[in-house]
Amino acid sequence: MTALPSSVAHAQTVGNTMAENADIDEPQEPPLTTIEDRSDFEIVVTAQGRQQSLADVPVAVSAVSGELLERSGTSDIRELNQVAPSLLVSSTGNEANGSARIRGIGTVGDNPGLESSVAVFVDGVYRSRSGNALSELGPIDRIEILRGPQGTLGGRNASAGLISVYTAQPEFDFSGYGAFSYGNYDMYRIEGGVNVPFGTTLAGRIDGVYMKRDGFYDDVVNDVDVNDRDRYLLRGQLLFDPNTDLTARIVVDYSKKDEACCAAVFVTPDFNPLARVSPGLDLYNRPTGGTPALASGQNPIGGVLLALGQDPRAFTNDMFEREIYPTRGRSYEGETEDYGISGEINYNLGDITLTSITGYREYENFQGSDTDYTGVDILYRAPGPNAGARQFKTFTQELRLQGSLFEDRLDWLVGGFYANEDLQVRDTLRFGTQYGAFAPCRIILAINPALVAPGSTGCLSAGGRGALRAANGGAGAFGAATPLIFAGLDNLARLNDLGSTGDVYNQDSENFAFFTHNIFHVTDKLDLTLGLRYTNETKDFDATLANDNVICPQNRQLLSGLLGVPALAGLAGGLISLSCQGNSTSEINGVTLNDSRDEDEFTGTAILSYQPNDDLLFYGSYSRGYKAGGFNLDRSALTGTSGLGVIAGPLVAGDVANLQFDQEEVDAFEVGAKYSTRMFSASVAAFRQEFSNFQLNTFNGSVFLVQNVNACSTDLGGADMDASAATGACLPENVKPGVISQGIEVESTISPARFFDATLGFTYTDTSYTDDLIGNSDGRPLDPALRLLPGDNLSNAPELVTTGSLTWTPPIGDSGLSGLFFINARLTSDYNTGSDLLYGKEQDGYVVVNGRIGITGPDRAWAIEAWAQNLFNEDYTQVGFNTSFIAPQQTYSAFLAEPRTYGLTVRGRF
């Protein structure tokens, strides 16, 4: 992808909000407001690396104008949900790794080792992760959303799609603008900028945005609010345009966020009734029946939490009251810095045009958290530069040459791309000060709930210990092993405020690619497009681990001998697992690990398009996409040989096989049609996408699992849906794609009368796992935590989504004033928000409506607007997940979507 060269005029369309003159507060030529006045009906996009009319581009692309973004209240890519039905942007435990999905496909979870399935480019420069764009964007010219794999031009690992943001450029007129907004939650936002010409060939502009807002969550325990906003952006640009053959643009920007993010609440029965909670696995990895929700009063783990200090209101209050009851003294404070410089040169060398886009960016984030989201201190990250921190340093360079041959019968393009990315992750995830009081209770609950004594050492009262010693006629409940079990419980009770003291993961990624994209004009009406890209990706990984959890090796040494005793293996294994959760053990202290991987991949596209007249286009296409493999930057995935999912002994360099995951590949097929006139335009696309080695990141309540998902062409007899990690293997020659995305998309605009425009979008998507799922392409079994996946839809992949908007801008008398009435809506059908698809994480269908009304002065010199986001205060969740360590797959928490916000905006310009 590339930014639109400055010599291209802004697209002019029929007043519809999907295609109006891109114009946010900064000076522009006054937009055309009547059909009769329009002489140039054209939306210019660069989806194929060239300046083309949107109606002539044989790919599925949405072009969203700056005008529509302004009216939608869009300040980051999250609000694009309202205008693009095939797109869903969400964030969970850390906005730095927010996820964008197109056609139900996206990267799941907060692990920075996974690259984005939906690539994000800003002014032609690749952003390392889509979450980097969850911040203020400033004045925007337009945003292009390309749907489906982009394996040729935008091939930087865009296996699901691409979001390309084009910011407003400098102009050769002196001008300025400003806007002030105030809203509920004590929100205020200030934006302003100035554009200055330096003669006739050089122009510059500077834009700034500052926003501050109280948080949506009330931390009742610590008397603070969470999920607040405190952020700003500064962007400066220079445009050099000496003649028609050369343009050069330099962009420098800096943004910062100092915010507390991201709180979660318990999922309560009024939102997800008990009947919808799925069967889980108990402490010994055995299937269980549905476990009562915490708020039901029948779940014994709830009683343990209450006894250890949990405020009961966390279980019983309406979750959408957004009151949280975390551990006293724990904080979600964090900080994000994002800055960089880029340059674009477009140079006409006669019959050939050279385009160069160079970018360097640095991005750093840390975020503290009460990681178990309860009032009991079980797991935490203290705020600071090593709290779940990630840092990216990225250099990219793209070069393209393009021209035409054979009397313009061939429109050719060749190019190369290089990227170097240094990624560092730093973490200090630690067990809390009450973990030793809480964890033994899970063991005692499994032995005999009547003996649970929270607060007593090992969760056993003196009477409880006596009862276990006296069991079996005085032989003890566990025979000769009874003293060992007691000792293991007592050791576990001492596991308090231990864990990571500073894990550091480094990944250096080097990517280079060569590509060609060619349009053959077979006839005046028939085109054949062929694109091919070769990509080489190398990743070097190293890690240095630091840990002071001495309880893990003590309990392993004490209890490992019991793992071979069938009657005691589950109990001993449970004690070891709880002592070493997430591979937290002092045995890894000071260990350095390293590994590397190298990939070569060919991707590309073939499109046949037919345009019987200027208004109508038909096309059919095949494309192949790719997303690089990599390393799970989380020690919980390190190789273990105990069969318990924990390290069986001291690590050595090279014990990192389980950290690797393979590259994701997709074959996509699409047919579509586009119709475009002054009064009405519409596009329709039908697609099918087949994903091999689909990269899935899942939190199972204890650790994050990163696994490739495939399918087997032979019947596994349900072995992929049982609780065993050893069943359900497949011969490598029988491995096939495990994820299929298919459906239909419709987008249309209409201008039935002067000053009135409407848009409508509709997407039906069946994005599902196939039956007979397996893990990697070597045929290994699927992890049992994913046993609900076969045959079901992917998470956050609703089947039906409809978006629409209405805009009315009537003149008010002969005063030069005009009114504004704008409303848009997104209707979404039911879907599951959890990547493991447990039933308690389901989200019913909902509708989100935004609105804006206002008055605009003559020549748009000023405006006053009242607005509302989520006008009807629709309550819904972004992602549901297993509450950390509480009872895996039995109790759930959720990250909630934003409530209703409203306010007033005043604008001015000169």
Side-chain angles (χ1 to χ4, degrees):
M1 293 300 299
T2 166
L4 189 67
S6 61
S7 58
V8 179
H10 291 295
Q12 294 178 343
T13 68
V14 230
N16 63 65
T17 53
M18 283 293 291
E20 285 186 324
N21 202 23
D23 179 352
I24 289 185
D25 292 330
E26 77 282 0
Q28 303 269 353
E29 294 180 7
L32 300 174
T33 56
T34 67
I35 295 173
E36 291 81 1
D37 290 339
R38 300 182 188 276
S39 59
D40 182 17
F41 175 68
E42 187 177 61
I43 309 168
V44 176
V45 297
T46 56
Q48 295 193 115
R50 305 159 172 84
Q51 303 158 23
Q52 293 177 288
S53 170
L54 177 63
D56 297 335
V57 178
V59 296
V61 54
S62 302
V64 187
S65 72
E67 186 82 7
L68 178 59
L69 296 172
E70 178 187 302
R71 292 172 179 173
S72 300
T74 299
S75 59
D76 64 38
I77 65 171
R78 190 173 7 227
E79 283 85 16
L80 292 175
N81 294 339
Q82 288 295 109
V83 297
S86 294
L87 175 70
L88 178 63
V89 181
S90 60
S91 60
T92 55
N94 192 324
E95 284 197 343
N97 228 42
S99 175
R101 294 171 174 84
I102 291 179
R103 295 174 173 174
I105 300 295
T107 299
V108 178
D110 297 328
N111 193 317
L114 281 82
E115 300 184 17
S116 302
S117 300
V118 178
V120 174
F121 287 76
V122 179
D123 291 327
V125 177
Y126 174 69
R127 295 296 176 100
S128 296
R129 300 295 183 270
S130 57
N132 294 11
L134 291 179
S135 189
E136 295 293 329
L137 295 174
I140 300 298
D141 180 78
R142 74 188 187 283
I143 297 179
E144 296 178 15
I145 303 168
L146 280 69
R147 309 188 293 273
Q150 306 300 313
T152 306
L153 295 171
R156 174 61 183 176
N157 302 332
S159 60
L162 186 148
I163 300 173
S164 198
V165 179
Y166 299 96
T167 64
Q169 300 187 31
E171 297 178 336
F172 289 92
D173 293 306
F174 180 70
S175 59
Y177 73 98
F180 176 79
S181 300
Y182 184 78
N184 61 333
Y185 294 97
D186 199 23
M187 184 280 292
Y188 56 90
R189 184 177 188 271
I190 303 170
E191 179 176 3
V194 62
N195 186 96
V196 180
F198 303 102
T200 59
T201 62
L202 183 67
R205 69 177 293 161
I206 186 168
D207 300 286
V209 182
Y210 178 70
M211 179 184 181
K212 189 174 179 63
R213 191 207 66 208
D214 292 343
F216 294 136
Y217 292 88
D218 179 15
D219 181 344
V220 177
V221 177
N222 296 294
D223 193 26
V224 296
D225 53 79
V226 182
N227 285 46
D228 63 326
R229 292 285 184 268
D230 189 353
R231 53 182 61 176
Y232 65 86
L233 163 75
L234 290 173
R235 181 166 59 232
Q237 301 183 61
L238 285 175
L239 176 65
F240 181 57
D241 191 1
N243 52 56
T244 58
D245 292 329
L246 175 65
T247 61
R249 180 188 181 198
I250 296 176
V251 183
V252 180
D253 66 278
Y254 177 87
S255 66
K256 186 174 182 179
K257 298 192 291 187
D258 188 1
E259 302 170 350
C261 181
C262 301
V265 296
F266 285 115
V267 175
T268 50
D270 56 340
F271 180 75
N272 250 321
L274 173 62
R276 296 171 63 181
V277 177
S278 68
L281 298 178
D282 68 9
L283 184 63
Y284 310 125
N285 210 36
R286 301 175 306 203
T288 68
T291 302
L294 289 174
S296 69
Q298 302 171 17
N299 189 329
I301 203 71
V304 172
L305 292 172
L306 293 172
L308 294 176
Q310 175 67 59
D311 192 309
R313 291 175 292 178
F315 299 158
T316 57
N317 283 4
D318 181 353
M319 57 192 281
F320 290 103
E321 289 295 321
R322 292 179 168 81
E323 291 184 345
I324 59 174
Y325 302 87
T327 302
R328 186 171 300 279
R330 298 299 178 210
S331 171
Y332 294 93
E333 290 295 330
E335 185 177 288
T336 301
E337 283 188 295
D338 181 22
Y339 53 91
I341 182 172
S342 65
E344 178 182 350
I345 298 173
N346 291 278
Y347 187 39
N348 187 351
L349 303 171
D351 295 333
I352 298 175
T353 300
L354 168 68
T355 297
S356 171
I357 303 174
T358 307
Y360 177 77
R361 302 206 60 82
E362 292 197 16
Y363 180 92
E364 185 167 10
N365 162 268
F366 71 82
Q367 199 79 57
S369 63
D370 182 3
T371 313
D372 55 85
Y373 303 100
T374 74
V376 181
D377 195 17
I378 300 173
L379 195 66
Y380 75 97
R381 288 184 174 95
N386 295 319
R390 68 279 312 272
Q391 181 182 47
F392 295 91
K393 297 180 180 180
T394 308
F395 171 80
T396 58
Q397 174 64 59
E398 181 174 356
L399 287 172
R400 293 198 315 272
L401 291 169
Q402 62 190 93
S404 62
L405 291 172
F406 311 120
E407 298 180 344
D408 295 333
R409 286 291 182 182
L410 171 62
D411 183 357
W412 61 268
L413 183 153
V414 295
F417 178 81
Y418 174 80
N420 182 276
E421 175 184 277
D422 290 328
L423 166 60
Q424 183 176 89
V425 174
R426 303 182 300 275
D427 204 5
T428 52
L429 181 64
R430 294 179 66 80
F431 296 110
T433 57
Q434 292 177 282
Y435 182 80
F438 171 79
C441 292
R442 287 186 53 185
I443 298 291
I444 304 305
L445 282 172
I447 296 171
N448 184 351
L451 300 179
V452 171
S456 299
T457 301
C459 203
L460 275 173
S461 65
R465 287 177 184 264
L468 291 176
R469 287 194 182 100
N472 294 330
F478 314 108
T482 300
L484 294 178
I485 300 300
F486 284 161
L489 287 167
D490 292 344
N491 283 339
L492 184 57
R494 295 187 293 110
L495 209 176
N496 296 305
D497 205 16
L498 298 174
S500 172
T501 58
D503 296 334
V504 179
Y505 306 85
N506 292 294
Q507 177 180 280
D508 179 70
S509 173
E510 192 168 42
N511 174 295
F512 68 85
F514 303 100
F515 54 86
T516 180
H517 188 275
N518 307 284
I519 304 174
F520 299 88
H521 303 294
V522 181
T523 71
D524 292 341
K525 301 179 183 294
L526 183 67
D527 287 349
L528 174 64
T529 302
L530 297 176
L532 183 66
R533 185 183 188 102
Y534 167 76
T535 301
N536 176 270
E537 179 94 25
T538 302
K539 288 183 177 175
D540 296 318
F541 162 83
D542 68 76
T544 301
L545 307 177
N547 198 286
D548 61 5
N549 177 14
V550 296
I551 304 302
C552 172
Q554 289 176 9
N555 264 358
R556 181 184 292 112
Q557 181 179 9
L558 181 71
L559 300 167
S560 291
L562 302 181
L563 297 176
V565 181
L568 297 174
L571 180 56
L575 281 165
I576 295 173
S577 293
L578 289 172
S579 302
C580 309
Q581 284 282 5
N583 285 325
S584 175
T585 172
S586 59
E587 294 162 302
I588 64 175
N589 189 53
V591 168
T592 299
L593 305 173
N594 59 79
D595 203 352
S596 63
R597 57 180 292 119
D598 188 24
E599 302 168 3
D600 294 277
E601 194 73 25
F602 283 96
T603 57
T605 187
I607 308 170
L608 188 65
S609 59
Y610 178 67
Q611 195 165 13
N613 56 56
D614 291 341
D615 299 334
L616 188 60
L617 172 72
F618 300 97
Y619 69 91
S621 68
Y622 163 78
S623 58
R624 181 171 178 81
Y626 153 79
K627 183 172 73 162
F631 297 91
N632 180 359
L633 304 182
D634 186 331
R635 66 164 188 260
S636 64
L638 287 167
T639 299
T641 58
S642 66
L644 302 172
V646 296
I647 298 171
L651 281 172
V652 296
D655 281 346
V656 295
N658 281 4
L659 292 184
Q660 285 207 40
F661 53 88
D662 292 334
Q663 63 264 38
E664 181 177 288
E665 300 166 346
V666 53
D667 292 295
F669 308 87
E670 182 173 310
V671 294
K674 296 185 177 185
Y675 177 75
S676 181
T677 66
R678 294 177 180 273
M679 298 289 294
F680 175 74
S681 66
S683 64
V684 181
F687 60 89
R688 178 179 172 88
Q689 303 174 157
E690 301 176 351
F691 288 82
S692 299
N693 278 331
F694 180 75
Q695 296 170 4
L696 181 65
N697 185 28
T698 300
F699 180 65
N700 68 2
S702 298
V703 300
F704 283 94
L705 306 170
V706 178
Q707 181 169 43
N708 293 108
V709 177
N710 292 282
C712 189
S713 61
T714 57
D715 188 355
L716 298 179
D720 56 339
M721 304 176 71
D722 62 21
S724 172
T727 60
C730 180
L731 294 174
E733 58 266 26
N734 294 329
V735 175
K736 66 175 186 177
V739 171
I740 305 295
S741 175
Q742 55 191 357
I744 298 175
E745 300 164 320
V746 179
E747 291 188 345
S748 64
T749 65
I750 184 171
S751 296
R754 294 180 64 184
F755 316 116
F756 183 83
D757 310 300
T759 71
L760 180 65
F762 169 80
T763 297
Y764 167 76
T765 307
D766 178 13
T767 304
S768 305
Y769 297 100
T770 65
D771 294 320
D772 302 308
L773 292 184
I774 56 173
N776 292 14
S777 56
D778 59 9
R780 71 185 64 176
L782 190 71
D783 190 284
L786 307 177
R787 68 199 180 285
L788 294 181
L789 270 55
D792 207 343
N793 286 359
L794 270 69
S795 62
N796 282 287
E799 289 190 350
L800 298 174
V801 177
T802 299
T803 61
S805 70
L806 295 174
T807 304
W808 186 40
T809 56
I812 301 176
D814 297 324
S815 62
L817 303 178
S818 61
L820 167 66
F821 174 82
F822 172 81
I823 189 169
N824 71 9
R826 178 185 175 99
L827 182 151
T828 301
S829 65
D830 300 352
Y831 58 94
N832 195 307
T833 67
S835 54
D836 53 10
L837 300 184
L838 291 172
Y839 307 140
K841 303 172 185 178
E842 291 175 336
Q843 170 62 55
D844 290 336
Y846 57 89
V847 179
V848 175
V849 178
N850 296 343
R852 186 174 293 260
I853 59 174
I855 298 176
T856 303
D859 299 321
R860 303 189 67 185
W862 56 268
I864 301 175
E865 300 166 355
W867 50 266
Q869 306 284 89
N870 192 3
L871 178 63
F872 298 109
N873 202 28
E874 186 71 33
D875 290 331
Y876 62 102
T877 62
Q878 293 191 84
V879 171
F881 61 96
N882 302 317
T883 307
S884 303
F885 291 114
I886 302 304
Q889 302 161 333
Q890 296 175 5
T891 58
Y892 308 102
S893 296
F895 300 106
L896 305 182
E898 294 186 354
R900 174 173 51 221
T901 56
Y902 52 86
L904 188 71
T905 297
V906 179
R907 308 180 191 277
R909 53 186 274 175
F910 62 88

